[in-house]
Amino acid sequence: MSPQRRLALGCLMAAVVAMAGTGPARAEPPPGAASCSGCHGPAGSEGPVPSLLGRPAAETAAAMAAFRTGQREATVMDRIARGFTDDETRAIADWLADQGDQP
Amino acid sequence: MTRPAPSPTGSLTRGTSRRTALGGTLAAGALLGLGAPAALGQAAAQVVVIGGGFAGATCARSLKRADPGLVVTLVEPAERYLACPFSNLVLAGLRELDEQAFGYAGIEAAGVTIARQPAVAVDPERRRVRLGDGTELDYLHLVVAPGVDLRFDAIPGYDEAAAERMPHAWKAGPQTELLRRQLEAMPDGGQVVMAVPANPFRCPPGPYERASLIAHYLKTHKPRAKLIILDAKDQFSKQRLFEQGWAEIYGGLIEWVPLSFGGQVTEVDPGTSTLVTEFGSHQADVANVIPPQRAGAIAALAGVADATGWCPIDPVTFESTLVPGIHVIGDAAIGGAMPKSAFSANAQAKACATAIAHLVREEAPPTPKLINTCYSLVAPDYGISIAGVYAPKDGLLAEVEGAGGVSPLEAAASVRQAEAAYAEAWFRTATDEVFG
């Protein structure tokens, strides 16, 4: 390929990428995490269900562990927490902690 | 997060001009010696979503969130969406239908193009959707989320005209208000008869929540009235909890007739408001007939519905197992162990959006894990729930063992009150996330 042609191709590709901006916008939610926002609203939302966004990961992970063992009383979170392993819970808690500044 | 510049293909255009524009880009790529213009195809990746309910609206929005470069069009003719969850409160006079209405401005602001037309045809070979006004939309991935259609061929005598006398009220809207007016007009001492279909159907605990809230209305306003549920099955969702609540709160007001005791309605006569079963017939002052259902009509037109009327899917990508490039989510899909609920639809929509974003980048989609939580009201301040966690297994979405289940049978009134409050909080949060 000639240098001119390579340059032309490079420009086209750059233009296409810049125009479309294809690619993940933010860290993708790990398995299970996207379901949380069905009940847990954005930061600052009112109501009986707390927001989890921006909450320290260790806190969320500890709460899930306590729900799973029954140490902490719950209406539905005990039933949901039992469906996730420690690793899965940790990944969800980390992701939720990182979403603090997201709308 | 940067918003992409509006793509020339982002607006709703006639298919011809759209195809010309795309063809031009591809030709330029070919001139420059790009063999397979995969990167160019990705750059202009168009996803069309049919249906603006909990599934489709969530998916359209989640697709833009997962990848702002995607060109997403939501095909939905209605100006506003009328949500089914909580519409049983409207029947009982405890809520107004307007509180069930949600517009699409928030979804539009998120960068989704709304096509206010019905989808009338899908050409899976050319990957093109035709709308009611003749517009054609090309797609790389199509998401079909049409919800359910009521089957007016399932119960002899029960057609669309009959539904004006014996409302189904299984889609929120005029039917909800019709049934409410009938309940309000019924004299004290009257008899309400509900017909409930066999599985699968939209919102498995819904008919029983409805019975509960109608009973609440009757107990309050027409204490000598009765409610009979004619059921085409012998078990139902959250059954022990409902039956316990009914006994506690409504005494003998509600009578449930299961399949094996003649619960299946075999014919109706809207003229005399009669429901016929194998064991006899019931005269109703108010009849609520919830007929069997199938996936919304566009699913069959697109070829993604099977002989059952529902749509088999791959549990990782939600792609139809019948037609490549078409994904089905929400009530229309065969969700395995996942119930046909708004919560499931919302969770499936997000997982489907993640999968499509990966497929567009030609990456393997991650294995999803999904949650469902459904609340039902046995009375306005008495809530119960069912929850489950789901993952792909043997080609279906299966329940994760050891998780999920229903509210405890033994629980203090404060727990039931808390669950009623959580139900309301869920509705607010979910509708805000999807439409807000």
Side-chain angles (χ1 to χ4, degrees):
Chain A
M1 197 183 276
S2 72
Q4 288 86 349
R5 190 155 170 179
R6 203 175 298 137
L7 182 65
L9 178 58
C11 286
L12 176 72
M13 294 308 289
V16 166
V17 169
M19 182 181 77
T22 297
R26 60 179 75 161
E28 187 175 280
S35 291
C36 304
S37 58
C39 291
H40 296 272
S45 53
E46 288 175 14
V49 183
S51 174
L52 302 174
L53 305 185
R55 178 182 283 209
E59 222 176 88
T60 305
M64 285 289 275
F67 284 136
R68 197 184 318 145
T69 57
Q71 230 177 335
R72 181 167 165 186
E73 267 193 42
T75 52
V76 294
M77 279 314 300
D78 50 347
R79 293 176 253 160
I80 292 168
R82 287 198 298 270
F84 294 89
T85 63
D86 275 332
D87 285 350
E88 288 171 330
T89 302
R90 185 72 211 191
I92 293 170
D94 283 342
W95 182 81
L96 290 169
D98 286 345
Q99 304 303 304
D101 55 345
Q102 305 286 357
Chain B
M1 182 177 98
T2 54
R3 283 277 300 277
S7 151
T9 54
S11 58
L12 189 59
T13 54
R14 293 276 160 180
T16 323
S17 57
R18 167 92 56 95
R19 286 197 299 280
T20 309
L22 188 57
T25 318
L26 296 186
L31 278 175
L32 283 162
L34 294 170
L40 289 173
Q42 280 176 20
Q46 303 187 51
V47 184
V48 175
V49 181
I50 298 176
F54 280 96
T58 303
C59 194
R61 213 166 177 162
S62 303
L63 282 161
K64 285 303 282 186
R65 198 169 293 153
D67 184 347
L70 295 174
V71 176
V72 182
T73 305
L74 177 64
V75 178
E76 171 56 60
E79 290 282 324
R80 55 181 206 163
Y81 177 66
L82 289 164
C84 275
F86 271 59
S87 68
N88 284 328
L89 283 168
V90 178
L91 289 179
L94 299 166
R95 196 176 166 86
E96 295 309 316
L97 193 60
D98 275 347
E99 296 173 76
Q100 299 295 109
F102 300 91
Y104 293 98
I107 293 165
E108 227 166 349
V112 174
T113 302
I114 315 272
R116 293 196 193 285
Q117 286 288 320
V120 295
V122 175
D123 181 342
E125 297 288 316
R126 294 195 170 88
R127 299 210 174 197
R128 196 173 295 161
V129 177
R130 195 169 78 239
L131 308 185
D133 66 356
T135 306
E136 290 187 323
L137 297 174
D138 292 329
Y139 65 82
L140 184 60
H141 291 271
L142 172 65
V143 179
V144 171
V148 300
D149 271 0
L150 300 162
R151 286 186 50 195
F152 288 111
D153 60 349
I155 303 172
Y158 196 71
D159 54 17
E160 279 186 273
E164 293 305 311
R165 304 289 290 272
M166 308 169 107
H168 54 76
W170 214 238
K171 291 189 177 189
Q175 281 273 308
T176 313
E177 294 188 307
L178 175 61
L179 183 54
R180 174 172 166 168
R181 282 198 306 274
Q182 290 184 352
L183 288 166
E184 285 167 353
M186 187 184 80
D188 192 5
Q191 179 161 275
V192 182
V193 184
M194 287 178 66
V196 180
N199 295 322
F201 62 97
R202 161 178 283 177
C203 191
Y208 313 98
E209 179 191 73
R210 172 172 292 181
S212 305
L213 293 176
I214 290 177
H216 173 80
Y217 170 78
L218 296 176
K219 188 185 169 190
T220 313
H221 298 280
K222 306 178 182 189
R224 292 188 295 115
K226 289 268 176 238
L227 169 58
I228 297 176
I229 307 168
L230 300 174
D231 206 330
K233 55 192 171 305
D234 279 323
Q235 279 116 36
F236 61 86
S237 177
K238 308 177 197 168
Q239 180 168 352
R240 291 182 68 196
L241 286 161
F242 273 115
E243 289 182 329
Q244 181 189 56
W246 292 345
E248 258 174 55
I249 306 168
Y250 305 118
L253 200 156
I254 299 174
E255 183 192 348
W256 176 64
V257 184
L259 172 68
S260 51
F261 285 82
Q264 176 146 27
V265 173
T266 54
E267 195 182 340
V268 299
D269 179 0
T272 58
S273 198
T274 305
L275 298 94
V276 182
T277 70
E278 281 164 6
F279 286 34
S281 67
H282 299 262
Q283 183 78 36
D285 293 289
V286 173
N288 170 214
V289 178
I290 305 166
Q293 295 143 41
R294 62 163 80 93
I298 194 69
L301 292 174
V304 291
D306 69 12
T308 66
W310 306 101
C311 307
I313 49 156
D314 176 282
V316 174
T317 60
F318 295 86
E319 190 172 12
S320 166
T321 57
L322 303 176
V323 185
I326 304 183
H327 305 247
V328 187
I329 52 173
D331 290 351
I334 297 175
M338 278 192 104
K340 297 187 188 302
S341 72
F343 198 113
S344 290
N346 177 261
Q348 291 173 4
K350 292 170 189 164
C352 179
T354 299
I356 288 175
H358 279 258
L359 292 171
V360 165
R361 296 196 298 269
E362 295 180 5
E363 295 167 6
T367 300
K369 208 154 186 183
L370 301 105
I371 298 171
N372 175 63
T373 305
C374 282
Y375 291 100
S376 301
L377 297 174
V378 183
D381 62 348
Y382 188 122
I384 55 175
S385 63
I386 185 164
V389 182
Y390 305 88
K393 191 182 176 188
D394 303 328
L396 286 171
L397 283 164
E399 225 168 327
V400 173
E401 277 176 43
V406 297
S407 308
L409 267 177
E410 300 299 323
S414 61
V415 173
R416 307 297 189 211
Q417 272 168 20
E419 291 221 281
Y422 288 147
E424 205 194 336
W426 164 75
F427 185 75
R428 244 193 344 261
T429 305
T431 52
D432 215 46
E433 184 196 22
V434 182
F435 299 101

